[in-house]
Amino acid sequence: MQWTSLALSLALAAQEVAAGPSHGLMARQFAQAAMMRFQCSQLVFDRIDPLVQPGQTPSTHLHQIVGGNSFNASMTALEYDPSLKSTCTTCDYSEDFSNYWTANLYFKAKNNTFKRVPQMVNLGLSGKEGVTVYYIPPYDGKTKVTAFPKGFRMIVGDAMLRTKTGQQKQLCHRCFSNMKQDPFGGAPCTGDDTFDLPKKQCGGGIRTTITFPTCWDGKNIDSPDHKQHVAYPSSGSFESTGPCPSTHPVRLPQLMYEVMWDTTVFNDKSLWPTDGSQPFVYSMGDGTGYGQHGDYLFGWKDGVLQKALDARCSGNNCKTLKTQAASVSTACAKSQAVREPVEGWLTELPGSLPVTYQ
Ligand SMILES: *[C@@H]1O[C@H](CO)[C@@H](O)[C@H](O)[C@H]1NC(C)=O
Ligand SMILES: *[C@@H]1O[C@H](CO)[C@@H](O)[C@H](O)[C@H]1NC(C)=O
């Protein structure tokens, strides 16, 4: 993990200069915190959604899914246990059969055809496309967190959203100016990060960060909107160990997804609209970026995540946890439940969804 500390100290120095003391402190804590940060490679692109549209094949829009290969249109909580049903996972930690999924990004060309934006593997990690997953304990280095229980699931964001109003906090885009992306270059949703998709060409691609609430009601593993059983701290932030509201007193680790979109292959001015708008659309037909969302379905082997959190595991290699090589995790795959083209130039988005901007 030497690269991590190197990247971190460089990031920290740059950040302190750029952002001044208060941001610098945040960056320092972010940089020094022990946090699990690992690669979950592509499992499948599929139009099923066991949380929002259980049992429905096809569901409305396409997702990219990573994690355990037992992902299915219906995954009834407790009854359907991914850690028992899966035979492999695309994550570095081989006992993590959870599923993590997000919308996909497409490039909309002037001739109204669409091409999927490839994803990059994050700095220091290896694998194939997918998502960088973080489980972050409080920065103070001592406050305990409770691992998600069996059957737990939750959602951040709203696929229908096309405006800033109603945005859940901590769901942002970062426009990298060059390919030397620094994953720790400032906490997510700070600096020039935007809730909507950047309107300019990004020389190093676009990063989406999706950060989940960190307080739990301690009782329900799910709720009708998949959100109400969790909450953000009532004041301050998770990072500053802000208190959980009395309705949601149990402190969870902070789960975060980072998706690195390689938009650079489309950075050709002649392909871009001339009216100043941006050509990327999420798979819901969202031309704004406000509709990006993240879904989580817990599936770690019994007790393993709690042990890892207690041991303050960091990075993608921790002696408390079993790991697997990228050659093994990328061999884990699943065929589409809804067979349809998602690659190449498509005449319409999967599900024939129109692109909307409001
Ligand atoms: C997967 O989901 C489909 C659609 O709801 C269902 O028919 C099937 O039984 C599920 N598979 C398993 C193994 O539960
Ligand atoms: C649409 O535009 C893209 C990008 O310029 C091009 O590669 C593709 O061949 C075009 N498709 C059609 C059907 O013209």
Side-chain angles (χ1 to χ4, degrees):
M1 288 294 89
Q2 268 162 339
W3 70 267
T4 317
S5 4
L6 179 63
L8 292 182
S9 32
L10 290 176
L12 182 57
Q15 179 68 14
E16 299 231 48
V17 172
S22 61
H23 260 114
L25 182 62
M26 178 75 113
R28 182 184 292 281
Q29 289 171 326
F30 186 62
Q32 291 175 345
M35 54 176 83
M36 293 162 69
R37 171 183 183 269
F38 56 94
Q39 164 74 10
C40 291
S41 290
Q42 178 182 312
L43 176 72
V44 67
F45 298 110
D46 211 344
R47 207 138 59 80
I48 54 175
D49 187 341
L51 281 191
V52 177
Q53 296 177 311
Q56 198 173 313
T57 34
S59 64
T60 314
H61 59 260
L62 185 77
H63 289 116
Q64 58 150 335
I65 301 112
V66 302
N69 69 340
S70 66
F71 187 76
N72 193 44
S74 21
M75 300 177 78
T76 312
L78 300 175
E79 201 175 287
Y80 191 98
D81 181 347
S83 76
L84 300 177
K85 299 268 187 194
S86 292
T87 54
C88 64
T89 172
T90 65
C91 298
D92 288 343
Y93 287 124
S94 57
E95 295 161 299
D96 181 12
F97 300 99
S98 305
N99 286 118
Y100 309 92
W101 66 100
T102 77
N104 276 100
L105 197 61
Y106 278 87
F107 175 75
K108 180 173 173 284
K110 278 182 180 163
N111 59 16
N112 276 320
T113 61
F114 300 86
K115 193 163 189 194
R116 188 177 72 80
V117 176
Q119 290 144 229
M120 299 175 277
V121 173
N122 228 321
L123 186 67
L125 299 173
S126 37
K128 183 184 174 201
E129 302 206 50
V131 178
T132 313
V133 175
Y134 291 74
Y135 286 86
I136 311 172
Y139 291 1
D140 67 2
K142 50 180 194 278
T143 301
K144 292 264 180 206
V145 287
T146 302
F148 306 99
K150 219 179 239 309
F152 187 91
R153 56 268 317 268
M154 62 179 165
I155 291 184
V156 169
D158 176 354
M160 305 301 284
L161 207 62
R162 300 291 178 270
T163 59
K164 192 172 178 180
T165 318
Q167 251 290 344
Q168 238 169 317
K169 37 182 175 178
Q170 300 188 309
L171 209 159
C172 297
H173 297 95
R174 181 166 296 179
C175 178
F176 287 109
S177 54
N178 59 49
M179 290 309 269
K180 291 191 196 119
Q181 305 113 359
D182 176 357
F184 298 99
C189 300
T190 60
D192 294 331
D193 286 8
T194 52
F195 293 111
D196 54 349
L197 280 159
K199 297 213 169 43
K200 58 182 182 194
Q201 297 195 352
C202 302
I206 297 172
R207 178 184 84 174
T208 310
T209 45
I210 301 172
T211 310
F212 288 78
T214 49
C215 302
W216 176 41
D217 71 9
K219 293 190 278 282
N220 298 296
I221 52 175
D222 197 4
S223 49
D225 64 356
H226 316 288
K227 293 178 181 174
Q228 281 166 31
H229 58 313
V230 288
Y232 290 99
S234 48
S235 63
S237 62
F238 171 80
E239 294 79 3
S240 63
T241 334
C244 281
S246 59
T247 48
H248 296 77
V250 180
R251 204 183 287 274
L252 301 165
Q254 188 177 56
L255 178 66
M256 183 173 94
Y257 303 171
E258 220 168 56
V259 189
M260 311 289 284
W261 309 105
D262 189 2
T263 53
T264 61
V265 287
F266 304 104
N267 280 358
D268 173 350
K269 280 256 151 59
S270 70
L271 299 178
W272 275 53
T274 46
D275 65 358
S277 62
Q278 63 83 33
F280 296 103
V281 300
Y282 276 117
S283 47
M284 306 76 76
D286 171 16
T288 66
Y290 292 119
Q292 173 61 314
H293 53 284
D295 296 43
Y296 175 56
L297 198 146
F298 173 87
W300 284 79
K301 280 263 185 238
D302 255 359
V304 169
L305 180 60
Q306 187 67 59
K307 261 190 236 153
L309 292 165
D310 291 346
R312 297 251 154 196
C313 278
S314 202
N316 69 338
N317 196 337
C318 171
K319 60 181 188 307
T320 311
L321 294 174
K322 291 186 185 138
T323 55
Q324 60 187 359
S327 57
V328 179
S329 59
T330 54
C332 181
K334 189 194 168 294
S335 54
Q336 279 184 325
V338 177
R339 298 203 175 234
E340 63 185 349
V342 295
E343 308 284 2
W345 289 101
L346 305 174
T347 52
E348 54 181 10
L349 289 173
S352 310
L353 296 170
V355 179
T356 55
Y357 296 90
Q358 54 189 358

